[in-house]
Amino acid sequence: MFTTQCNHDVVLIGLSYLVSVLGSFSALQLAVAIPAARNDRDRWTSIALAGVAMGGGAIWSMHFIAMLACRMDMPVTYGLWLTAASAIIGVVACMAGLGLAGKRGVFSYARLTVAAVIMGLGVSGMHYSGMAAMVMPATTVYDTGLVAMSVAIGIVASAAALWLAFNLRGMAQMMGSALVMGVAVCGMHYTGMAAASFVPNADGAMPAVGMVIGGEQLGLGIFAITCGMLAVLYITNRVRERQRAALSI
């Protein structure tokens, strides 16, 4: 059986890591407000902001840019609706993990473990639904051992992200943690990609699907949009911090 593998674009690999670090740093800053929330509305707002930064910025954007870095000797586009669904899965999974691990009260490793499993399985679901969104004249075949390893890495990375989110303070510590998180998130993605082989269709025909996205500059576009989104989240967080400080005076 003839199969083909990805030849990765080095520039997009670098951007995928950078966006993962930026998203992780933003999420760590935003997550601080979750256990300190004054009421349920404030808490859910903090969970949503941190979940978007982590799930949408650090994880999904990294994943999609890295997918676009995969270059093969065949045309590849991505189904719009399944790609959007994969982003939603990633954000919701991160919100669930952050919400559970960040409950008020004494820090609990049991609660952290449950939250990490939920978040890790959600992130894995995001990755493989994103893989399923690939539209190409080929069938994807997976190495089950590497798939299991990628899921395990996703759970461990989620546990690390959640522990760091609620146990670290200080700008330098958060930046160091974000650099480590970027490695962990990329490790999960590229292990999942290594699990995939692509078997070209005999007739070379593209499958008929609905709306698709693709293009040479899409990776740069996703990176720019994500950076803009993270900047908005950062500004929103600073405004909320000032409002909380004013109320405490």
Side-chain angles (χ1 to χ4, degrees):
M1 178 174 63
F2 172 73
T3 63
T4 185
Q5 298 283 348
C6 291
N7 293 311
H8 285 93
D9 183 301
V10 177
V11 173
L12 289 180
I13 288 177
L15 288 180
S16 72
Y17 174 70
L18 179 57
V19 80
S20 185
V21 170
L22 293 173
S24 296
F25 181 73
S26 298
L28 290 173
Q29 287 190 308
L30 291 162
V32 171
I34 295 174
R38 295 173 177 271
N39 51 56
D40 286 342
R41 179 181 178 182
D42 193 31
R43 181 172 182 273
W44 282 108
T45 299
S46 298
I47 290 171
L49 292 174
V52 170
M54 179 65 76
I59 297 174
W60 182 83
S61 294
M62 178 272 142
H63 157 84
F64 194 58
I65 293 171
M67 289 284 289
L68 294 169
C70 174
R71 303 291 169 81
M72 295 185 288
D73 296 328
M74 66 178 77
V76 180
T77 55
Y78 298 86
L80 176 61
W81 302 119
L82 195 50
T83 298
S86 72
I88 293 170
I89 290 170
V91 170
V92 171
C94 288
M95 287 176 60
L98 289 163
L100 181 57
K103 280 187 175 181
R104 291 181 180 178
V106 179
F107 180 80
S108 166
Y109 280 103
R111 196 164 63 213
L112 174 70
T113 300
V114 174
V117 170
I118 293 172
M119 183 170 158
L121 291 177
V123 169
S124 298
M126 177 280 301
H127 174 84
Y128 288 104
S129 60
M131 292 283 289
M134 297 177 75
V135 179
M136 56 188 170
T139 301
T140 307
V141 179
Y142 288 103
D143 180 317
T144 54
L146 287 175
V147 169
M149 184 181 295
S150 72
V151 174
I153 292 172
I155 292 173
V156 172
S158 297
L162 293 171
W163 188 90
L164 292 169
F166 301 112
N167 288 276
L168 283 187
R169 299 294 182 270
M171 196 67 69
Q173 288 177 308
M174 286 187 180
M175 180 53 71
S177 300
L179 292 170
V180 173
M181 277 305 305
V183 173
V185 172
C186 290
M188 182 272 163
H189 172 85
Y190 288 110
T191 301
M193 287 298 293
S197 297
F198 306 97
V199 182
N201 298 338
D203 57 6
M206 291 284 285
V209 296
M211 297 179 66
V212 297
I213 53 176
E216 290 292 323
Q217 303 304 316
L218 185 57
L220 292 173
I222 294 293
F223 178 80
I225 291 170
T226 301
C227 288
M229 178 194 74
L230 293 174
V232 170
L233 291 175
Y234 176 79
I235 293 169
T236 302
N237 184 54
R238 293 302 300 270
V239 170
R240 294 177 71 233
E241 284 179 345
R242 290 180 180 179
Q243 290 174 340
R244 286 195 296 269
L247 289 172
S248 64
I249 295 175

